[in-house]
Amino acid sequence: MRLRLPEERPTEPPTGYKIAHPVLSHDGTRAGFTGVSLGGALPYGALADAACVYGLRHRAPHRRCDCGFHCVHDRTTAEALLCTAEHRTAVLLEVSVLGRYIRFERGFRYARQRVRTATVGPCACGKVAAALADAGWGRPGWRALAPSCGGCLRGRTSVSLAGFARLAGEGLRVVAGKGAVPPVADLAGAEGLGVPELVAEAALLQARLDWFQAQLARLGEHGAGGAPHG
């Protein structure tokens, strides 16, 4: 007797979350992603079909194989994967689960997906990322990218977040996640900051202004009480 799994017929594609490394084709004309586990050797686009990573001819996902795209139900669970050292430069993807899928307790294994949103983490220096730059590794024909601020690009091959979304197509949105507050010297580039970032900027400026005023007051006291100049 063969056990049959219950079938679901959702009115809308389920939503899932996963992490992946952004990649750019060697000629700079296409953008996509590569996985962080079994499917890491097979870069995929914003809209893609899964294939068996073992080269078997069955359709993915197969119940007796672990092929197919993978994602989790909860965004927080996917974000937690970014804490590991090898995944620090990966991006968080929000995907639509399309085609056949197998539901598990924590996520899906499925045949087809559309990446709707990619959230890019901060630059290695801590600032909000403005671009995706050459990470120093890749796959045949594909260059892996990592989040970078404008000051850390240093001539590396790079693409802006908007440029990456345009190359990937399929309506993909690429957004920058939070980063550290930039120093005072970088305030000229703060036009894109939101209210929380601007509040932090103001607090930092006020703290530095208070420190300068304290130093000026101390120097003034020393000048008034010192010996007369000859």
Side-chain angles (χ1 to χ4, degrees), residues 16-34:
Y17 301 91
K18 61 194 300 182
I19 65 172
H21 294 287
V23 293
L24 182 69
S25 63
H26 71 283
D27 58 3
T29 61
R30 292 175 295 157
F33 304 94
T34 186

Side-chain angles (χ1 to χ4, degrees), residues 21-207:
H21 294 287
V23 293
L24 182 69
S25 63
H26 71 283
D27 58 3
T29 61
R30 292 175 295 157
F33 304 94
T34 186
V36 298
S37 57
L38 283 176
L42 301 174
Y44 55 86
L47 177 63
D49 294 295
C52 180
V53 295
Y54 303 109
L56 302 178
R57 295 184 179 181
H58 55 238
R59 291 193 303 166
H62 195 278
R63 284 192 298 170
R64 296 183 179 180
C65 184
D66 54 7
C67 60
F69 290 122
H70 295 71
C71 71
V72 295
H73 299 303
D74 184 59
R75 181 188 180 100
T76 303
T77 302
E79 288 176 329
L81 300 175
L82 297 171
C83 294
T84 61
E86 62 270 28
H87 299 156
R88 288 291 178 93
T89 59
V91 299
L92 176 69
L93 304 183
E94 178 184 301
V95 302
S96 290
V97 175
L98 307 174
R100 299 171 60 249
Y101 63 80
I102 300 174
R103 180 188 289 271
F104 296 93
E105 181 181 358
R106 299 184 65 183
F108 298 99
R109 183 159 61 89
Y110 51 102
R112 183 175 172 84
Q113 74 177 8
R114 181 187 300 275
V115 182
R116 301 201 304 253
T117 305
T119 301
V120 179
C123 176
C125 72
K127 297 180 185 177
V128 175
L132 292 165
D134 188 352
W137 62 277
R139 303 283 185 244
W142 295 89
R143 193 190 311 266
L145 305 176
S148 177
C149 68
C152 292
L153 289 176
R154 299 189 181 93
R156 290 181 293 164
T157 298
S158 64
V159 60
S160 68
L161 304 188
F164 184 92
R166 177 179 55 79
L167 291 174
E170 301 295 339
L172 174 68
R173 292 178 59 247
V174 182
V175 297
K178 294 181 179 180
V181 176
V184 174
D186 290 340
L187 289 181
E191 291 86 352
L193 298 180
V195 172
E197 289 84 0
L198 291 175
V199 170
E201 289 280 5
L204 180 62
L205 282 173
Q206 185 61 55

